[in-house]
Structures are given as structure tokens and as C-alpha cells.
Amino acid sequence: MATTKTYEEERAGYYKILVGLLLLTAVTLIQPHYFLANATFGVQMLIGLVKAYLIVMYYMHLKGERLIISTVFFASFLVLFFFVIVMIDVNHFQFGDVSHITSEITSAGGTSASHH
């Protein structure tokens, strides 16, 4: 049985979400300067994820949709899974000294490997 809300209740809910998004935006701007400075990327991504969730669920009216939610979570899991695999591979790259991207010469601002 679906519950019906009055126009004022719906509007109040949208304003609460708007205030939450504005507060999260303020935290996004303040965070790198005042707290968790060593984990800025992770914190910023988490804040962005929460903001995206609020926008999708409330402003795009997908809060009650079960199929789309499960599809989005599955797709997000796949992207995260492959991102982690790539990050593990990048951290264990075995030819770092001969790569034109990670070699010491090009990182220090010297001549690149293609000019030899």
C-alpha cells in the first residue's frame, strides 16, 4: 500500500536533501585543509558517492526502483573490481626503470627515453 504525501511534505523532503547536498559540498571544500589531508582522494570520492546517491535517489525519483538499483550496484562493483586489479598491477609494474613513464630520468625532468 503506497503512502501519499502532501505537497508540503514532499517539498520539505526536497529542501532537506538540498541542505544535505550543500553541507556535503561545504565539507568537500573544507576537508583538504582541515582534516584527513593524507586521504583526500578517498574522502572526496566518498563524499561524491554520497552526493550522487542522494541526487539519483531523491531528485531522479529512483528511490523505490529495485531493478535499477541492483543493476547500478552490480555495475559499480564491476568497475571497482577492475579498478582494484589495475591498481594492484600498476603497483607491481616490473619494468619501471625502462618505462618512459616511470623511469628516473624522465621523472627528474631530464631527457625522455625517446630522445636517446
Side-chain angles (χ1 to χ4, degrees):
M1 181 172 172
T3 60
T4 57
K5 292 183 178 181
T6 64
Y7 173 73
E8 289 79 18
E9 291 172 341
E10 285 283 332
R11 189 171 65 180
Y14 286 128
Y15 284 136
K16 288 177 186 176
I17 298 299
L18 177 64
V19 169
L21 289 170
L22 291 173
L23 287 173
L24 285 171
T25 301
V27 170
T28 301
L29 295 173
I30 293 170
Q31 180 269 323
H33 303 291
Y34 292 106
F35 59 94
L36 295 173
N38 294 337
T40 299
F41 179 75
V43 172
Q44 296 284 322
M45 292 301 288
L46 182 66
I47 292 170
L49 184 68
V50 170
K51 287 168 55 175
Y53 175 81
L54 290 173
I55 290 169
V56 166
M57 290 300 141
Y58 290 96
Y59 289 122
M60 295 177 71
H61 306 288
L62 296 179
K63 188 175 180 184
E65 299 288 333
R66 295 293 171 224
L67 181 61
I68 191 90
I69 292 171
S70 60
T71 304
V72 167
F73 280 125
F74 179 70
S76 299
F77 171 76
L78 284 178
V79 168
L80 181 65
F81 178 75
F82 287 115
F83 181 76
V84 167
I85 288 174
V86 168
M87 292 310 295
I88 290 170
D89 185 46
V90 166
N91 286 334
H92 294 96
F93 186 60
Q94 59 182 324
F95 300 109
D97 56 338
V98 295
S99 171
H100 69 282
I101 297 172
T102 59
S103 70
E104 294 293 326
I105 296 172
T106 57
S107 298
T111 329
S112 66
S114 62
H115 292 114
H116 290 293

